[in-house]
């Protein structure tokens, strides 16, 4: 017998109707089409209530402070999220020290989490190079790390009309890696020891 799915509570700080939701489908309606929507999932109602009252900025600062003993600072973290039922993917990067979001891209159709993770790393590398930043970049994706080393996204995702923009970005990312060097170290975020990647979308 399959185990019952664990209950989650979804906090929407910035969306059509901010609040606490017990179902992801309902929470997703509140953030759909909202630029810069802020939301996260929690394991208990009490955590969700505290987070809703505290707000995302202070919460991000608290999470960042908790990582000081574990990772190099200043630094950046990147992550991607992909709904496996729809193939809708997005990715983002954050400043670990402050919790500030430095970029967010998507949603993209007919994609995968690995493609998003790869694009997020290259996006962050380009972001840093343009600004002369040398900070390390953390990712929790071993696959994306391997793709970066080979400067090639070895994906099995089939091309469709819907994911044409994603593959255009992949081509541009691979070309960027071929033409550019960078001082930034790309490091593995140790989730089991440190907790969730600071760039995590909170949809697990």
């Amino acid at each position: 017998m399959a185990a019952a799915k664990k209950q989650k509570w979804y906090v929407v700080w910035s969306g059509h109707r901010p609040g606490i939701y017990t179902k992801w489908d309902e929470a997703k309606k509140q953030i759909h089409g909202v630029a810069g929507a802020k939301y996260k999932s929690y394991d208990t109602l009490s955590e969700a209530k505290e987070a809703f009252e505290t707000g995302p900025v202070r919460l991000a600062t608290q999470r960042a402070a908790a990582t000081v003993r574990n990772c190099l600072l200043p630094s950046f973290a990147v992550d991607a999220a992909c709904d496996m039922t729809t193939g809708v993917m997005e990715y983002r990067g954050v400043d670990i020290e402050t919790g500030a979001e430095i970029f967010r891209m998507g949603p993209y159709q007919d994609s995968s989490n690995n493609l998003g993770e790869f694009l997020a790393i290259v996006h962050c590398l380009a972001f840093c190079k343009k600004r002369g930043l040398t900070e390390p970049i953390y990712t929790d994706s071993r696959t994306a790390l391997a793709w970066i080393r080979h400067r090639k996204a070895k994906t099995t995702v089939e091309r469709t009309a819907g994911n044409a923009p994603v593959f255009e970005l992949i081509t541009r990312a691979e070309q960027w890696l071929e033409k550019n060097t960078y001082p930034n170290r790309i490091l593995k975020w140790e989730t089991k020891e440190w907790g969730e990647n600071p760039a995590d979308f909170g949809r697990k």
Side-chain angles (χ1 to χ4, degrees):
M1 181 180 294
K5 188 175 181 180
K6 188 175 180 181
Q7 172 68 54
K8 291 276 191 180
W9 283 263
Y10 302 91
V11 175
V12 176
W13 290 286
S14 177
H16 296 297
R17 293 182 61 187
I20 300 172
Y21 297 84
T22 57
K23 296 180 180 179
W24 169 237
D25 286 346
E26 289 300 315
K28 186 162 60 173
K29 291 178 184 176
Q30 310 312 317
I31 60 177
H32 181 71
V34 177
K38 294 181 174 61
Y39 52 96
K40 194 179 188 308
S41 67
Y42 292 89
D43 293 328
T44 67
L45 178 58
S46 60
E47 287 178 323
K49 287 182 176 178
E50 181 181 0
F52 185 62
E53 294 174 0
T54 301
V57 175
R58 182 179 169 191
L59 201 65
T61 302
Q62 292 170 344
R63 287 201 306 269
T67 69
V68 170
R69 297 188 303 274
N70 303 317
C71 70
L72 299 174
L73 291 174
S75 55
F76 300 107
V78 297
D79 200 18
C82 185
D83 187 327
M84 299 308 293
T85 61
T86 64
V88 175
M89 176 273 289
E90 57 187 318
Y91 67 84
R92 70 178 189 143
V94 302
D95 182 322
I96 295 178
E97 203 165 23
T98 65
E101 186 175 86
I102 57 173
F103 61 81
R104 180 189 288 243
M105 299 294 289
Y108 299 107
Q109 305 296 319
D110 301 338
S111 192
S112 73
N113 197 69
N114 285 332
L115 287 175
E117 300 274 5
F118 175 76
L119 288 172
I121 295 172
V122 180
H123 192 131
C124 198
L125 286 170
F127 174 92
C128 290
K129 183 153 191 172
K130 185 176 181 179
R131 294 162 178 78
L133 304 174
T134 61
E135 284 86 340
I137 299 167
Y138 283 93
T139 174
D140 56 17
S141 172
R142 294 187 186 280
T143 298
L145 284 169
W147 288 359
I148 292 292
R149 286 195 299 271
H150 293 96
R151 292 177 287 186
K152 184 75 174 177
K154 298 182 178 181
T155 183
T156 58
V157 174
E158 295 184 3
R159 292 175 181 257
T160 68
N163 64 26
V166 173
F167 277 97
E168 182 180 343
L169 288 174
I170 290 295
T171 298
R172 288 169 56 187
E174 291 171 343
Q175 291 174 345
W176 191 94
L177 290 171
E178 288 289 345
K179 296 177 181 178
N180 290 274
T181 59
Y182 48 87
N184 314 78
R185 284 186 288 170
I186 306 172
L187 305 173
K188 176 70 171 60
W189 181 266
E190 301 298 341
T191 304
K192 289 184 178 179
E193 297 177 24
W194 305 345
E196 287 293 349
N197 178 337
D200 182 69
F201 282 81
R203 300 175 190 169
K204 297 180 177 66

